[in-house]
Amino acid sequence: MSSKHKIKPNTLLIGAQKCATTSVYNWIAQHPEICGPSTLKDYAYFVNDGFFEKGIDLFEKDYINEGYNDQKIILHGCVHYVYFKKAIDRIYDFDPNVKLLLVLRNPVDRAISAYRYAKKMNIENLDFKTALEKESERLTGSLSEKSELTYVSHSKYGEQLEYLLKKFRKDQLCVVFYEDVKDNPQKVVTSIFSFLEVDTNYIPDFSVLNKTGKIKFNSLQKIVYSQNKYKKLLVQKIIDPVLPLSKRIKIKNAFKEWNTKNASDKEDYSNYKKILKPLFVSDISKTEKLLNVNLDHWK
């Protein structure tokens, strides 16, 4: 299929990390008036300088491959966009009228879930207490450290929303909550469809994706997700020329789902919850004021 105009996103799911964004993205992308390639969920275009320099025209191929047919909503997402001021600035420069979707979760639960996920993905090698103590160092570290290993700062939604709403109008932002995603997904997607001004009667398949869970085969997980110079060389010299990034993302996501089993985490985080809770009280109040909602249940 060829298009007369460039196919570029007009709606972004901007976060937050470990708030069921993968499921929400998948659910709304099923709508016949929405084109949302799975390969463009968590493709950190507006965060990663290397991706950004390639230009957003690269997205067009993914939209066409996903069945773009002049849909009203052209969707893209990355859970880290709301966290990085640089991303918000770039998004505003790209399209100051873009529609923004955001899922929020109890900040303590989100921080713990992000830690458990990082451990599962073999990108976190510290115990939770040490990881929290190292957060200030990680805030000045690599992009990967800032993105994946800063558990407390990622949960400070008030700070993030304050910067976001200095750039964008409030009516451009649709905020839903993790608790509602779990308890009443139909209500959540209907509210999003209403915000996007598409048919609100559409009912998607409500499968849940990207659960934290437990790894079935740790050795395979380490091979696929480990980062070292030899693997980078292999990707650059052999895999890149054969498999484009979009294909690699699909394969990795499929592998991640296959290699994850539902299992409860036996570690007791109750003491950490007591430590973390006071860190978010003032930020939760800021979030309440900015969104005009009551979040007493988070306090």
Side-chain angles (χ1 to χ4, degrees), residues 63-82:
Y63 288 122
I64 292 172
N65 288 341
E66 195 76 6
Y68 174 76
N69 189 26
D70 203 28
Q71 286 95 331
K72 180 176 183 178
I73 300 300
I74 306 172
L75 182 65
H76 161 53
C78 175
V79 293
H80 299 303
Y81 284 166
V82 71

Side-chain angles (χ1 to χ4, degrees), residues 1 3 6-8 35 37 39-40 55-68 240 243-247 250:
M1 171 185 173
S3 60
K6 292 291 184 182
I7 307 170
K8 295 180 180 179
C35 183
T39 52
L40 295 182
I56 206 161
D57 287 349
L58 290 175
F59 283 27
E60 188 167 57
K61 184 166 53 178
D62 287 87
Y63 288 122
I64 292 172
N65 288 341
E66 195 76 6
Y68 174 76
D240 260 352
L243 281 177
L245 180 63
S246 60
K247 293 289 186 184
K250 275 193 172 181

Side-chain angles (χ1 to χ4, degrees), residues 8 18 28 77 92 100 133 144 233 267 293:
K8 295 180 180 179
K18 298 314 296 175
I28 63 177
Y92 184 81
L100 305 170
E133 292 169 350
S144 177
L233 190 64
E267 188 169 352
V293 294

Side-chain angles (χ1 to χ4, degrees), residues 122 215 217-226 255 258-259:
N122 293 302
I215 295 301
F217 306 105
N218 282 304
S219 56
L220 280 176
Q221 190 81 357
K222 287 179 180 178
I223 291 170
V224 173
Y225 287 98
S226 63
F255 169 80
W258 172 80
N259 201 36

Side-chain angles (χ1 to χ4, degrees), residues 77-221:
C78 175
V79 293
H80 299 303
Y81 284 166
V82 71
Y83 178 71
F84 286 99
K85 291 180 179 179
K86 174 171 70 174
I88 298 304
D89 292 342
R90 285 174 169 175
I91 291 169
Y92 184 81
D93 291 340
F94 166 69
D95 182 359
N97 297 307
V98 70
K99 290 194 172 185
L100 305 170
L101 307 175
L102 179 63
V103 190
L104 299 181
R105 180 181 187 177
N106 180 305
V108 172
D109 294 339
R110 194 223 66 84
I112 291 171
S113 180
Y115 169 77
R116 291 176 57 221
Y117 185 75
K119 288 286 284 187
K120 184 187 89 166
M121 299 302 292
N122 293 302
I123 55 178
E124 175 61 87
N125 55 17
L126 302 178
D127 62 81
F128 195 37
K129 180 177 181 295
T130 307
L132 294 177
E133 292 169 350
K134 292 281 187 181
E135 178 143 340
S136 59
E137 293 179 28
R138 289 170 162 181
L139 285 169
T140 60
S142 67
L143 177 61
S144 177
E145 286 178 310
K146 293 174 188 174
S147 298
E148 306 296 342
L149 306 179
T150 52
Y151 309 115
V152 173
S153 60
H154 256 78
S155 284
K156 292 197 171 180
Y157 315 128
E159 292 180 5
Q160 297 160 34
L161 283 164
E162 189 172 50
Y163 189 79
L164 177 75
L165 292 173
K166 286 179 181 178
K167 294 275 186 177
F168 296 96
R169 302 185 314 276
K170 199 169 181 178
D171 64 3
Q172 291 176 253
L173 176 66
C174 175
V175 179
V176 298
F177 293 91
Y178 175 85
E179 295 87 352
D180 296 325
V181 173
K182 281 188 65 181
D183 297 339
N184 197 341
Q186 178 64 60
K187 182 180 178 181
V188 168
V189 297
T190 299
S191 68
I192 294 174
F193 291 156
S194 177
F195 170 73
L196 297 177
E197 298 180 1
V198 296
D199 182 8
T200 57
N201 293 314
Y202 180 79
I203 301 176
D205 171 13
F206 287 109
S207 298
V208 176
L209 302 177
N210 203 24
K211 293 180 181 178
T212 298
K214 289 282 187 180
I215 295 301
K216 296 176 185 175
F217 306 105
N218 282 304
S219 56
L220 280 176
Q221 190 81 357

